[in-house]
Amino acid sequence: MNNTLAKFRTYCNSLTKYSRYKTREVFVGETPLGAYNPIRIQSMTTTDTMNTIATVEQSIRMVDAGCDYVRITAPSKLEAENLLNIKNELRKRGYKVPLIADIHFTPNAAEIAARIVEKVRVNPGNYADKKSFRNIDYTDSEYDQELDRIRQKFTPLVKICKEYGTALRIGTNHGSLSDRIMSRYGDSPLGMVESALEFLRICENENYYKIVLSMKSSNPKVMVQAYRLLIRKMEDENMYYPLHLGVTEAGGGEDGRIKSALGIGTLLEDGIGDTIRVSLTEDPEFEVPVALALVNRYKNRENHQDIKPLDALPYNPYEYTKRQTFEVSGIGGNNVARVVADFSRRKFITVDTLADIGYFYDSAFDKWNMNDSAADFIFLGDIVPDFDLPNGLKPINNYSSWKNNKNKSSPLFTAKEYLNNVNLSKDINFIRLGIADLDDVLSEKLKNQKTTVIVLESENLHAMPEQRRVFCELLFQEITNPVIIKRTYNKISLEDFILFSSTDFGALLIEGFGDGVWTECPIIERDLPDNVYIKSFVQKNETYEKTINKILFGILQAARTRISKTEYIACPSCGRTLFDLQETTDLIRKKTEHLKGVKIAIMGCIVNGPGEMADADYGYVGSGIDKITLYKGKEIVRRNIPALNAVESLIEIIRENNDWQEPKL
Ligand code: SF4
């Protein structure tokens, strides 16, 4: 396959050389972003905005943790007015942090806030529109009338921002596109971009330029495509506004971190992003270290080894297309991405060892049971087990050991061994390949060997783009062998491992690259961070292999490449939330985590939640004090029921829709 794009236009400075994409500098108070300023970190308070002291104290905790900006919700005029008290109290306590008002549906609150705080965020999907989920067929003149209506509603805010020097974020969310945008562009990255551009053009007509843009989605694939497309479209109109990166409703714990890193990290790898907010269903001060870890990874990135530049692009970075491969023993073709567990650092393995990667031996019945996160391959280095492995788990050995145990496993060759070898396995052969190995001789041999799977490695500091460069070469040369992406990390903390591996694998998977994942991680610091969310995911004494296996399956799920568990779309909560969102999310998770593939949204408020639930199958949405409204897709099925029984009612609805299964004991 060679679908080289006739015109090579990309969305960043380079796909092979790390370089920050330069945007216009915008001052938010005295802290500028964009251009060559550091990537700014921000988060959002979860307190009631009317509670001045609680909001001030939480803001201070966020600043002390490393926030450059603090965002506060202003659902109505009252909260917008109270921003002045919050700002004054912060200044009194010596904190000059710029404040951002978060606005949905209430232009009058925005107009008050713009006179008080340093920046206002509006959502173009709900600033001038109420969503009815109707598909309306607009004529061109009706569409223009709609744009005129928006201009009239939005221009007063722009004029105030201009007068007061207030910055503005046009923050599009995938889940809350207006009916107008949906009817013309669909539920798509292009629709998200057009939604922002409509508002942006109004600003420029007023000669107002202190603008930041965001394109958030709970689906990292959609989010990444939307930002890329936004850059292209802005360049077409000679616009270079700074970008705020975020994955919305990412949830909490490891899933929230994986999803956030996958979306934000993928863009940071290409030098995109001027400010980030990691949005977790956790206290906001826990979001900040995650954001800092993601950003700090790029401090010395420009010193990486050179990667041969691209002068054409053999895939479309604005749409997902899976790279076509042939199948070798269950890898490649139309199979889901495979997971390779690496036990090569062990001296031996036992039957019990395999429980770490999802296989449980039942001695009473002499049979193996497996769970939904059972690895597909196990790399054993030179170990030859003295028991029969479960059927679903295929062993791989170094070529030197395989030679003596040919019918027990599959060989892993170095490129040199592979080129010199005439005696390959007749079933499946793995070859370790780095960018320098792929010469004409090897390319020719790979093309002719329909039993070979590439294990793609990189030691470059800029490893993901180097591996992406190899995928481009494979596409150019029409080499269709399956590829397992392999990464090795040394001396890394657990939290960094979650974030970095999610970025590195996820960035390739959402491009359609990779038929499997494999990581070798010799050292993860065993001291777990002082974070209850991470501690609930990784037990103190669990093995590296078990942790890695869980994370790899989580990455595949977040990239929507392989579904092995329930997906939760949970908002981070804010001053609009009227119930304990973290506690409720935990409770729902405990009761439903065995429902593989079901997507459940837990949203703090009825004003914004339903629009933001994206493609959830079921929704649990706060709709008043002690009141919950339950959704099946976008339809309300129970309105304002008491919170006390709402989780049980949610389960009833899942049951009625045949998505319920009894948990295995
Ligand atoms: S959905 Fe959640 S974060 Fe968004 S406005 Fe409502 S309560 Fe706040």
Side-chain angles (χ1 to χ4, degrees):
M1 184 188 75
N2 190 343
N3 64 341
T4 307
L5 297 180
K7 206 170 175 196
F8 180 54
R9 293 186 73 205
T10 186
Y11 50 85
C12 58
N13 293 344
S14 169
L15 289 168
T16 50
K17 171 90 194 122
Y18 178 75
S19 149
R20 280 271 308 274
Y21 181 79
K22 190 173 174 227
T23 55
R24 170 194 280 268
E25 184 175 61
V26 168
F27 271 78
V28 181
E30 290 171 12
T31 311
L33 82 163
Y36 294 120
N37 288 296
I39 299 171
R40 305 293 184 190
I41 307 298
Q42 57 178 291
S43 182
M44 188 165 169
T45 55
T46 54
T47 47
D48 177 356
T49 307
M50 293 309 292
N51 188 335
T52 306
I53 295 305
T55 305
V56 164
E57 286 176 354
Q58 192 175 55
S59 301
I60 288 173
R61 286 198 295 280
M62 288 156 64
V63 174
D64 290 347
C67 262
D68 296 303
Y69 310 126
V70 168
R71 183 152 51 110
I72 302 170
T73 190
S76 74
K77 284 165 73 175
L78 277 180
E79 286 87 354
E81 280 157 3
N82 200 47
L83 290 171
L84 184 61
N85 295 327
I86 293 168
K87 184 174 173 177
N88 288 342
E89 183 63 25
L90 276 165
R91 302 295 179 260
K92 205 168 92 191
R93 297 190 190 196
Y95 285 82
K96 290 191 172 163
V97 60
L99 300 181
I100 305 169
D102 196 65
I103 306 290
H104 295 273
F105 298 104
T106 43
N108 52 8
E111 289 164 21
I112 294 167
R115 295 180 166 95
I116 299 171
V117 294
E118 286 78 6
K119 186 174 163 200
V120 173
R121 178 267 167 128
V122 297
N123 179 346
N126 61 29
Y127 191 77
D129 295 287
K130 285 226 176 344
K131 199 162 168 58
S132 63
F133 301 104
R134 280 183 304 148
N135 198 351
I136 305 161
D137 208 3
Y138 292 94
T139 62
D140 285 352
S141 89
E142 284 167 344
Y143 204 89
D144 287 346
Q145 280 171 23
E146 278 285 291
L147 290 180
D148 208 45
R149 184 177 62 80
I150 290 163
R151 188 173 300 113
Q152 285 175 26
K153 275 212 161 178
F154 184 50
T155 302
L157 175 65
V158 177
K159 285 185 190 292
I160 295 167
C161 287
K162 198 172 161 189
E163 185 189 341
Y164 283 76
T166 310
L168 189 66
R169 170 156 68 97
I170 301 172
T172 304
N173 275 10
H174 181 215
S176 55
L177 295 176
S178 66
D179 293 334
R180 178 185 65 264
I181 287 286
M182 292 279 274
S183 65
R184 183 150 292 197
Y185 301 97
D187 178 16
S188 65
L190 180 61
M192 293 170 69
V193 171
E194 286 298 329
S195 169
L197 289 179
E198 286 179 356
F199 276 62
L200 195 47
R201 291 183 194 117
I202 297 171
C203 293
E204 289 212 331
N205 274 342
E206 295 296 321
N207 296 319
Y208 170 77
Y209 305 101
K210 288 188 79 169
I211 304 159
V212 180
L213 292 150
S214 63
M215 297 276 119
K216 296 194 184 182
S217 169
S218 65
N219 179 343
K221 203 187 282 177
V222 171
M223 172 259 189
V224 168
Q225 288 167 358
Y227 278 99
R228 289 175 176 173
L229 206 54
L230 174 67
I231 291 172
R232 286 258 29 87
K233 294 270 180 188
M234 281 206 292
E235 282 188 5
D236 288 346
E237 301 192 30
N238 212 15
M239 298 171 172
Y240 296 88
Y241 291 103
L243 297 172
H244 163 127
L245 306 186
V247 173
T248 191
E249 280 79 43
E254 84 288 0
D255 285 343
R257 283 166 177 75
I258 289 171
K259 251 193 198 179
S260 299
L262 207 153
I264 296 169
T266 296
L267 292 162
L268 291 175
E269 285 282 315
D270 285 330
I272 295 167
D274 300 289
T275 176
I276 69 171
R277 191 253 170 135
V278 171
S279 151
L280 301 173
T281 313
E282 300 176 15
D283 294 341
E285 52 269 38
F286 285 117
E287 296 178 346
V288 180
V290 178
L292 284 168
L294 285 172
V295 165
N296 289 341
R297 196 179 182 202
Y298 299 92
K299 275 200 169 145
N300 297 312
R301 183 58 75 88
E302 56 276 4
N303 300 327
H304 66 82
Q305 258 180 299
D306 287 347
I307 304 168
K308 190 177 161 200
L310 281 160
D311 50 17
L313 199 59
Y315 67 96
N316 182 349
Y318 309 106
E319 273 177 30
Y320 176 81
T321 311
K322 172 92 172 65
R323 173 181 163 258
Q324 297 297 305
T325 55
F326 56 77
E327 179 178 344
V328 187
S329 292
I331 302 185
N334 293 326
N335 289 293
V336 292
R338 299 303 183 189
V339 172
V340 182
D342 191 325
F343 281 79
S344 59
R345 16 179 288 120
R346 301 279 186 99
K347 292 202 169 56
F348 60 90
I349 61 163
T350 68
V351 166
D352 292 340
T353 312
L354 300 187
D356 285 352
I357 54 167
Y359 293 90
F360 307 90
Y361 183 63
D362 182 340
S363 53
F365 292 93
D366 185 26
K367 69 169 199 156
W368 288 92
N369 297 313
M370 61 193 277
N371 65 21
D372 288 326
S373 304
D376 307 288
F377 290 84
I378 180 169
F379 177 55
L380 294 165
D382 297 318
I383 303 169
V384 178
D386 56 4
F387 61 95
D388 289 334
L389 294 177
N391 277 339
L393 184 65
K394 298 177 190 158
I396 306 168
N397 279 118
N398 287 324
Y399 165 62
S400 50
S401 300
W402 171 79
K403 274 192 297 194
N404 306 319
N405 295 282
K406 282 190 180 172
N407 50 12
K408 289 208 158 187
S409 68
S410 303
L412 174 70
F413 296 92
T414 61
K416 200 168 156 203
E417 286 168 341
Y418 181 77
L419 281 172
N420 294 337
N421 213 297
V422 284
N423 190 16
L424 302 177
S425 159
K426 63 180 180 17
D427 299 319
I428 181 164
N429 298 281
F430 295 87
I431 168 178
R432 296 173 57 179
L433 186 135
I435 197 164
D437 298 316
L438 196 62
D439 58 14
D440 291 349
V441 183
L442 184 60
S443 296
E444 211 41 47
K445 184 158 179 172
L446 284 170
K447 275 189 205 173
N448 294 323
Q449 278 294 344
K450 299 298 179 199
T451 57
T452 301
V453 174
I454 295 167
V455 177
L456 182 59
E457 300 178 315
S458 172
E459 289 180 2
N460 199 320
L461 185 60
H462 205 32
M464 188 288 289
E466 183 175 277
Q467 292 186 315
R468 183 172 61 192
R469 181 69 184 81
V470 176
F471 277 108
C472 289
E473 205 55 44
L474 297 175
L475 286 168
F476 287 136
Q477 296 194 34
E478 300 182 3
I479 297 171
T480 53
N481 303 64
V483 174
I484 289 178
I485 306 161
K486 182 167 183 243
R487 291 298 302 264
T488 302
Y489 302 91
N490 286 311
K491 292 191 181 166
I492 189 169
S493 70
L494 177 63
E495 194 149 24
D496 282 357
F497 176 70
I498 295 174
L499 300 175
F500 298 173
S501 60
S502 302
T503 298
D504 300 339
F505 289 110
L508 294 170
L509 291 167
I510 62 174
E511 221 68 273
F513 298 155
D515 301 283
V517 289
W518 174 349
T519 181
E520 193 186 317
C521 181
I523 298 169
I524 298 178
E525 281 172 17
R526 296 317 298 179
D527 283 343
L528 295 178
D530 190 18
N531 179 330
V532 284
Y533 308 101
I534 291 285
K535 281 181 177 159
S536 67
F537 167 62
V538 180
Q539 277 82 50
K540 188 116 186 124
N541 295 319
E542 82 178 30
T543 62
Y544 299 121
E545 293 85 354
K546 184 172 182 175
T547 309
I548 289 169
N549 194 60
K550 286 193 284 191
I551 293 168
L552 290 180
F553 272 96
I555 294 170
L556 294 180
Q557 172 116 359
R560 308 221 170 168
T561 309
R562 179 170 179 173
I563 305 301
S564 56
K565 54 187 178 179
T566 322
E567 182 163 340
Y568 298 96
I569 297 160
C571 85
S573 87
C574 71
R576 289 181 189 268
T577 318
L578 296 175
F579 64 97
D580 188 331
L581 200 115
Q582 293 177 28
E583 203 178 281
T584 308
T585 304
D586 278 352
L587 181 64
I588 293 175
R589 185 186 285 269
K590 274 194 192 106
K591 302 220 170 192
T592 60
E593 64 189 355
H594 59 291
L595 302 178
K596 176 178 163 182
V598 176
K599 294 195 203 100
I600 302 175
I602 304 120
M603 309 300 286
C605 74
I606 195 88
V607 183
N608 207 29
E612 303 292 339
M613 293 191 304
D615 54 356
D617 301 311
Y618 299 94
Y620 180 106
V621 180
S623 49
I625 296 172
D626 282 334
K627 292 275 179 290
I628 302 296
T629 293
L630 299 176
Y631 287 73
K632 166 77 183 91
K634 303 260 181 234
E635 298 292 318
I636 293 180
V637 283
R638 310 262 161 104
R639 194 188 294 272
N640 289 333
I641 60 170
L644 192 63
N645 304 320
V647 175
E648 287 312 314
S649 299
L650 174 70
I651 291 168
E652 257 172 57
I653 293 165
I654 298 175
R655 215 186 281 274
E656 283 161 14
N657 286 280
N658 298 325
D659 281 329
W660 180 258
Q661 290 164 15
E662 291 307 324
K664 286 183 195 149
L665 296 174

